[in-house]
Amino acid sequence: MNIRTLSFKGGAHPPHSKEATEKSAIIKAKSPNVVVIPMQQHIGAPCEPIVKIGDEVKVGQKIGEPKGFVSSPIHSSISGKVMAVEPRLYSGGTKVNCVVIENDMKDTRLDTIIPKGNLQDLSSEQIKEIIKEAGIVGMGGATFPTHVKLALPPGKKVDTVILNGAECEPYLTSDHRLMLENPEAVVFGLKALMKALNVNKGFIGIETNKPDALEAVYNAAKNEEGIEVVALKTKYPQGAEKQLINACTGREVPSGGLPADVGVVVNNVGTAAAVADAIMIGMPLVQRIVTVTGKGIKNPKNLLVKIGTSFREVINECGGFSENVGKVIAGGPMMGIAQFSIDIPVIKGTSGILVLTEDDAKLPEPSNCIRCGKCVTVCPINLMPLHISNYSLLDKFDQAEEVNAMDCIECGSCSFVCPAKRPLVDSIRVAKREILAKRKKAQSK
Amino acid sequence: MLDSTMFRVTSSPHIRSGETTQRVMLDVIIALMPALFAGVFYFGMNVIMVTLVAIVSAVGAEIAMQKVMKRPVTINDLSAVVTGLLLAFNVPSTAPWWLVAIGSIFAIAIVKHCFGGLGHNFMNPALAARAMLLASWPVRMTSSAFLAPGVDAVSAATPLALLKEGVAGQALPSIWNMFIGNIGGCIGETSALALLIGGLYLIYRGVISIRIPLVYIGTVGILAFIIGGFSPYYAVYHILAGGLFLGAFFMATDYASSPMTAKGQIAMGIGAGILTVLIRFFGAYPEGVSYSILLMNVATPLIDRYTMPKKFGEVKKSA
């Protein structure tokens, strides 16, 4: 294998904690009795439900129609009968409109779910349309609608597509297993994305702590022209969009800018596989791989879960909780969102369900900043987190803005390394919110 | 299965590294041990006495100040122990116990806690205390107070004093003796070897970066080489003399009073190096390390401001 090893400047080294599931093959989760499918699983405008109580639905049937440009349709993951259309709690922490469907366990597919033809016969526009209609969003967790990413504003030219297989979040192994078990789908998805954007250069970046996945993807891509598989140094946040672009191409996305500003579009490997499914099978995005792990889970697993299955059911399928549960997190430990309830559905962006024990979840008391500068060293954006944080804690948000609070990507590296256990990223988040609120106010005047 | 439990919610990240302030301070203490052993070896058991007094009064002063100011007592972070140790390293082995105690109390109560406690001192507390002691009790802190290594307890001038003023009957020490510490001086400053071992340990542990010590020592060496008439001997003599290793590895790298950015740390090293040489060659006082570091401590906020790292993706502002 002739693979380059690349990286970015800064970053932290949290323990990988992937041992529990990195060797477990993906298993299809049991089909749930009921699914609760939120009408908002993406960044952007929520969908309008287009089914009503009593309707019969099939697998792959559209049940939510996007409203607005930045939005993405929602499909049913099972066949059965609509029981309710009402606001329910989801992993965002609030209630959103959900379609609740009772499973008839027949798994009847919609007739229109058929392969969309060969890649070479599809035009760029057709591919974009398939992706849009399949409801594909960024599956790394950010859930930005993929077709919007592909719709470049006039004047922007893109020459490179990068697939993100870094999976730098500790504990998570869903991308790892996907690349290992189905590298062909990942490579196919990349080819489709490259064709959609009319570019000839594609990268697949994978961290060095997944040598088996690197090899599998390398072998699947070695005869493809223009596709380079690169090894990425195992370092957090290697999978952050701007850091990944910098590692692969050496380009620097301008502050406040988008990847397209430097000619790049980045997608997660899971997103590429979903694109492959949408073209090769014709199936919209109705299921995803979820890593269910942490010491608080009895039998950690990588499960292929139907969208709308409750966390509770998924956790039960993994043997339930093992001991004192400290925290339940949707996503990984660095950027995932802690959940107060497990009666919430798995959505398109749920890359993992992490259950920490009381011991794991204990957060130490903060003490005085000793100005050791570790936060400055690890910050992938070259910020000085201690200064932003200090200004924020003093309610001096203008000064926080001056020291570049808005550039923070909230990766949490600073809070992770801080020996004084200061709430760095928390206070920077507060500052960002205040600054945004002020800008909005200034605009409306 | 827990049924209607509400789980705890906090914002991310949900895990923290094992790094703690206490561990950082413990590393500094470990790194200072070789120099302490060297001090005991060369200057005798009185060194232990002085060190204990310095540490006990530093920790005592911290407890007292935090009680008075109604703040949580944080002696467990070991920072007061470090300050006490460093103060002991900066006094002669003949220093009376009250002198040491006054130094420690001044360092902790005035320089550290009056300015906000750990992380807020604008100067290195131990160095500021040394400067105070030197100004108040010059006789007990200079020349005749320094002992020659060994059991005879005769006084011995420091290498720099010898170089500057010359003392009848005392020859300049050899480079080797200066390297291992077999010379007159403060308790912890004489053995460059022991300090180097400790300093390298700190760099290996990631507690300090090599920038400040390397640039500081390098600047002193180069300038001494030039001013001394391009003599390599002169350059090495100046590098090994006057507690430069103690200052460069352990004092100039004090987190609270030194720059955090890479560029700033280089500026700190160059600045302290120039000041040290200026004081040694052109000042009235033979040793320049402590004052040069104190002066750079005061300049640190300014250095930090002008060496802020360029943020990722910074766009040139169009004028």
Side-chain angles (χ1 to χ4, degrees):
Chain A
M1 280 200 302
N2 179 23
I3 297 183
R4 293 192 287 160
T5 304
L6 308 171
S7 194
F8 66 100
K9 203 174 136 276
H13 295 275
H16 305 167
S17 310
K18 296 183 190 263
E19 309 76 27
T21 53
E22 65 188 350
K23 300 220 157 37
S24 330
I26 300 162
I27 308 168
K28 256 192 169 161
K30 271 194 312 232
S31 203
N33 292 325
V34 173
V35 290
V36 177
I37 303 181
M39 289 295 106
Q40 174 141 36
Q41 304 185 24
H42 48 264
I43 290 179
C47 286
E48 196 70 41
I50 51 172
V51 288
K52 52 186 191 307
I53 297 174
D55 282 0
E56 294 283 342
V57 295
K58 293 179 178 170
V59 179
Q61 182 178 336
K62 195 194 276 185
I63 54 173
E65 185 69 41
K67 293 284 162 205
F69 175 65
V70 182
S71 188
S72 183
I74 309 276
H75 304 82
S76 175
S77 55
I78 56 171
S79 60
K81 198 186 209 171
V82 176
M83 292 160 66
V85 179
E86 63 189 20
R88 294 269 183 111
L89 186 69
Y90 89 123
S91 52
T94 51
K95 286 188 172 180
V96 291
N97 213 8
C98 291
V99 172
V100 184
I101 305 165
E102 187 177 25
N103 200 342
D104 63 11
M105 294 297 171
K106 287 184 191 137
D107 217 18
T108 326
R109 283 188 187 189
L110 211 59
D111 304 333
T112 50
I113 293 182
I114 45 164
K116 306 287 187 204
N118 288 326
L119 198 52
Q120 55 265 38
D121 303 331
L122 292 171
S123 71
S124 157
E125 289 314 310
Q126 281 172 316
I127 296 173
K128 286 184 198 171
E129 191 58 29
I130 294 169
I131 290 173
K132 182 179 171 184
E133 279 308 305
I136 295 172
V137 299
M139 297 188 55
T143 64
F144 189 79
T146 304
H147 71 273
V148 181
K149 239 185 211 182
L150 300 179
L152 298 174
K156 289 262 185 300
K157 252 198 83 65
V158 162
D159 59 12
T160 307
V161 176
I162 299 176
L163 284 195
N164 185 355
E167 203 165 49
C168 58
E169 271 278 1
Y171 288 98
L172 302 187
T173 56
S174 50
D175 290 348
H176 180 178
R177 292 311 301 184
L178 167 70
M179 292 187 287
L180 186 63
E181 295 178 32
N182 201 356
E184 294 80 17
V186 173
V187 174
F188 183 93
L190 174 58
K191 280 162 62 185
L193 289 164
M194 285 163 67
K195 181 149 192 200
L197 286 161
N198 289 315
V199 306
N200 307 317
K201 182 73 193 165
F203 285 100
I204 305 175
I206 303 166
E207 273 192 352
T208 49
N209 64 352
K210 298 176 260 294
D212 49 353
L214 254 169
E215 197 184 332
V217 176
Y218 178 83
N219 286 331
K222 66 181 167 197
N223 295 324
E224 302 292 346
E225 206 158 315
I227 295 182
E228 183 182 355
V229 178
V230 293
L232 303 167
K233 215 170 136 187
T234 304
K235 190 165 76 167
Y236 181 87
Q238 186 70 71
E241 198 166 60
K242 292 177 177 185
Q243 277 55 50
L244 182 66
I245 294 171
N246 188 243
C248 289
T249 67
R251 299 175 196 172
E252 227 175 84
V253 178
S255 164
L258 291 171
D261 293 332
V262 290
V264 180
V265 165
V266 179
N267 281 288
N268 185 265
V269 287
T271 314
V275 170
D277 277 353
I279 296 172
M280 293 201 287
I281 308 170
M283 183 58 88
L285 179 47
V286 293
Q287 56 185 13
R288 70 155 298 141
I289 308 164
V290 181
T291 302
V292 190
T293 188
K295 275 198 216 125
I297 291 283
K298 249 194 203 123
N299 311 310
K301 282 175 186 164
N302 295 300
L303 289 177
L304 184 62
V305 182
K306 292 187 158 65
I307 301 292
T309 310
S310 78
F311 275 35
R312 180 182 294 276
E313 246 168 289
V314 176
I315 291 168
N316 273 337
E317 186 156 358
C318 297
F321 293 131
S322 63
E323 43 181 306
N324 287 344
V325 176
K327 229 187 247 179
V328 178
I329 297 159
M334 294 300 286
M335 289 190 79
I337 303 172
Q339 303 295 327
F340 60 83
S341 164
I342 53 171
D343 293 309
I344 51 170
V346 167
I347 58 173
K348 293 173 183 175
T350 312
S351 49
I353 298 174
L354 171 61
V355 181
L356 298 178
T357 58
E358 284 282 0
D359 252 9
D360 290 337
K362 219 174 268 163
L363 287 181
E365 278 296 309
S367 56
N368 272 12
C369 169
I370 55 172
R371 287 181 31 104
C372 64
K374 285 202 163 68
C375 55
V376 181
T377 311
V378 299
C379 179
I381 309 291
N382 298 337
L383 304 178
M384 299 184 85
L386 78 164
H387 289 330
I388 310 177
S389 167
N390 275 341
Y391 286 133
S392 174
L393 293 172
L394 293 168
D395 287 350
K396 293 183 175 171
F397 300 114
D398 290 343
Q399 272 146 303
E401 192 175 2
E402 270 170 43
V403 288
N404 303 320
M406 294 311 288
D407 284 271
C408 173
I409 58 170
E410 303 179 24
C411 67
S413 297
C414 51
S415 293
F416 173 77
V417 297
C418 182
K421 312 299 166 196
R422 311 270 317 152
L424 293 168
V425 77
D426 314 42
S427 53
I428 296 173
R429 267 190 205 117
V430 171
K432 284 175 76 174
R433 188 166 300 180
E434 292 288 335
I435 293 164
L436 277 181
K438 212 188 82 191
R439 282 185 189 171
K440 225 177 209 167
K441 220 168 146 189
Q443 257 172 15
S444 64
K445 259 181 199 166
Chain B
M1 193 84 182
L2 299 154
D3 260 335
S4 54
T5 322
M6 294 270 262
F7 299 107
R8 189 187 325 148
V9 176
T10 59
S11 70
S12 64
H14 305 287
I15 50 172
R16 300 292 149 95
S17 69
E19 199 72 46
T20 60
T21 302
Q22 189 190 38
R23 177 69 225 200
V24 169
M25 296 300 166
L26 183 64
D27 272 333
V28 178
I29 293 170
I30 292 171
L32 287 170
M33 285 303 117
L36 182 63
F37 290 138
V40 174
F41 180 75
Y42 290 120
F43 303 116
M45 293 311 280
N46 201 35
V47 165
I48 305 241
M49 227 354 248
V50 170
T51 308
L52 280 180
V53 170
I55 293 176
V56 169
S57 17
V59 174
E62 179 137 303
I63 297 175
M65 280 309 275
Q66 289 181 324
K67 289 262 189 238
V68 168
M69 298 168 98
K70 298 194 169 53
R71 293 206 174 137
V73 173
T74 58
I75 51 165
N76 284 339
D77 66 21
L78 299 179
S79 61
V81 177
V82 170
T83 302
L85 254 178
L86 284 175
L87 181 87
F89 277 25
N90 274 293
V91 297
S93 60
T94 56
W97 68 268
W98 53 265
L99 187 82
V100 179
I102 289 174
S104 268
I105 293 167
F106 179 79
I108 296 290
I110 307 292
V111 187
K112 185 176 178 184
H113 283 291
C114 283
F115 289 91
L118 183 64
H120 294 289
N121 48 287
F122 71 108
M123 277 183 176
N124 185 318
L127 269 189
R130 173 193 160 112
M132 185 276 286
L133 293 178
L134 198 58
S136 312
W137 291 277
V139 179
R140 291 191 185 275
M141 288 294 289
T142 53
S143 46
S144 60
F146 294 122
L147 285 188
V151 287
D152 295 342
V154 289
S155 72
T158 63
L160 285 175
L162 284 174
L163 194 63
K164 191 149 201 161
E165 293 135 17
V167 177
Q170 280 191 36
L172 293 185
S174 72
I175 294 288
W176 173 250
N177 275 336
M178 288 171 72
F179 181 62
I180 60 170
N182 193 15
I183 47 171
C186 291
I187 287 174
E189 72 174 10
T190 62
S191 176
L193 173 65
L195 291 161
L196 184 64
I197 293 171
L200 291 178
Y201 171 77
L202 285 189
I203 291 167
Y204 165 74
R205 289 277 308 153
V207 173
I208 61 168
S209 128
I210 197 170
R211 288 182 209 106
I212 292 178
L214 186 72
V215 175
Y216 188 0
I217 295 171
T219 306
V220 169
I222 292 168
L223 288 180
F225 179 69
I226 296 171
I227 300 176
F230 301 96
S231 148
Y233 169 78
Y234 215 59
V236 176
Y237 192 94
H238 266 279
I239 285 176
L240 297 176
L244 179 59
F245 274 58
L246 179 62
F249 281 104
F250 293 97
M251 314 292 263
T253 54
D254 171 44
Y255 286 153
S257 54
S258 69
M260 261 174 304
T261 63
K263 274 190 217 157
Q265 290 175 346
I266 291 169
M268 170 92 183
I270 294 175
I274 292 173
L275 287 170
T276 300
V277 170
L278 284 180
I279 296 172
R280 282 185 184 179
F281 280 87
F282 306 108
Y285 181 64
E287 334 256 342
V289 169
S290 25
Y291 288 114
S292 67
I293 296 175
L294 287 174
L295 283 170
M296 292 310 290
N297 285 165
V298 183
T300 290
L302 204 63
I303 296 174
D304 257 346
R305 181 184 304 176
Y306 286 106
T307 55
M308 210 155 97
K310 188 170 94 59
K311 72 179 177 191
F312 186 92
E314 182 149 27
V315 220
K316 276 196 197 114
K317 284 198 184 89
S318 47

